[in-house]
Structures are given as structure tokens and as C-alpha cells.
Amino acid sequence: MRALAPVAALVAGALLAGCATGPAKDEPNYATVASNQFVSANYKAADTLLTQLSGKLAADKPLIMATVVNIDALDQTSTLGRLVSEQISTRMAQGGLKMLEMKLRNSVYLKRNQGELMLTREIGEVAQSHNAQAVVVGSYAETSDMVFINIKVVQPQSNFVLAGHDYVLAKEGIVRSMLMTR
């Protein structure tokens, strides 16, 4: 009987292991959320634009932030595109630029659930009506494991690009969830 005790213990252990549903998913906490690179990547992009814009803009005129759109469907965006736009606008305001909040303006076309979408032909008209010296535009492209983002600051009267930056986000859980259509 003693020889069967170790075998019984092994069988019981195997049975208990078979009942496990897999590794427990860790609940988000401050440490895991704070280490996420999403905000820092967007802030770094805005900081790069701010550096490139040094000396190119008038201090008293605002900029407009357009919604970052899907490069394959320029009239569509996602939570990711809207949040990238918000964070870049916030960081540029923190850097001393006058960023015009378009969501508070009722004269700008807002596509339901999309945000402030602007096509090139609309930029000049919207910028002129709001006395904006530049518009921040952007697009993103998805691959199976990455999201490529392009951000530019465009002078609306000439369509000249005053500053630009490209960066890549890993398409991990948080980023993937922001790309899902609702």
C-alpha cells in the first residue's frame, strides 16, 4: 500500500492540474498601466513636432488638431485614432502652443462616432474660419502586430508640411482593443 501512495499523489496532482483553466489574468494595476508605452509614444511624437516647429509659428495664432484617421479609409478612425489625436494635442498645448479644441465648435463637421475628420480640401477653409496658422493631421496603418502612425503639421494656405513624425506602436492588448470597431 505504501508504494501506491506516491502514485496516488501523482494521479491526484495530475487531476487537479487538469482542472485548472489556465494562467490567471492579472488585473490591471498602477504599475502595469503606468508602464504602458502608449501615452509616452504619443507624447514623444508631439515633443518631436514641437522641436521641429521651433521658430516657425506665431505665438498668438492657434493650431487645429484633426483626428488621426485610418490610412486605408480616410473617412474612418477608431478609438486609437481619436486618443492619439487627443494626447498629441494635449502635449502640444503643454509645450506652449495654442491648440483650438474643435469638439467645442459647432461649425466643424463631426462624423458620428468618428471625431473631427478633415480632408485636405477642408483644411484651408476650416483653418481660415478659425484663424488657425496650422493643422495637425495624421494617419495610421495596421499590420498583424504593429500600428504605424504618421503625424504632420500642415500650413493650410500653402499645404506645406512644417513638421512631421513617424512612429510605431506594438499591437498588444490595449492597442488592439482600441482598433476594434464597435
Side-chain angles (χ1 to χ4, degrees):
M1 280 296 223
R2 282 194 210 187
L4 291 177
V7 172
L10 284 173
V11 170
L15 289 173
L16 287 174
C19 292
T21 59
K25 184 176 178 183
D26 290 335
E27 289 294 317
N29 59 47
Y30 179 78
T32 59
V33 172
S35 67
N36 183 279
Q37 297 301 303
F38 186 78
V39 175
S40 62
N42 293 325
Y43 275 20
K44 182 179 177 189
D47 291 344
T48 301
L49 295 175
L50 286 167
T51 300
Q52 292 176 26
L53 290 170
S54 181
K56 294 182 181 179
L57 299 174
D60 62 334
K61 286 188 160 186
L63 282 80
I64 295 172
M65 179 77 212
T67 302
V68 174
V69 296
N70 181 334
I71 197 164
D72 294 323
L74 296 176
D75 63 339
Q76 296 177 10
T77 191
S78 62
T79 301
L80 179 125
R82 289 185 295 274
L83 191 54
V84 166
S85 300
E86 292 288 336
Q87 291 177 355
I88 288 178
S89 179
T90 295
R91 187 62 168 193
M92 293 179 84
Q94 290 171 350
L97 296 181
K98 292 183 178 201
M99 300 302 295
L100 193 60
E101 180 58 69
M102 297 306 295
K103 288 189 293 297
L104 301 178
R105 303 285 178 150
N106 57 9
S107 62
V108 174
Y109 169 68
L110 294 179
K111 185 175 180 181
R112 172 169 277 184
N113 298 324
Q114 296 294 314
E116 306 83 19
L117 299 175
M118 288 187 215
L119 301 176
T120 304
R121 67 180 179 272
E122 300 167 321
I123 289 175
E125 183 181 311
V126 172
Q128 184 178 7
S129 68
H130 295 294
N131 198 29
Q133 63 184 319
V135 179
V136 185
V137 297
S139 61
Y140 64 88
E142 295 180 60
T143 67
S144 61
D145 57 350
M146 291 180 271
V147 179
F148 292 84
I149 300 175
N150 172 270
I151 304 291
K152 295 176 187 160
V153 180
V154 179
Q155 189 176 49
Q157 299 81 8
S158 65
N159 286 333
F160 287 144
V161 176
L162 301 174
H165 184 66
D166 293 301
Y167 60 109
V168 181
L169 298 172
K171 198 172 175 183
E172 44 75 39
I174 293 171
V175 169
R176 188 175 308 277
S177 72
M178 287 192 280
L179 289 164
M180 294 178 166
T181 55
R182 295 189 184 349

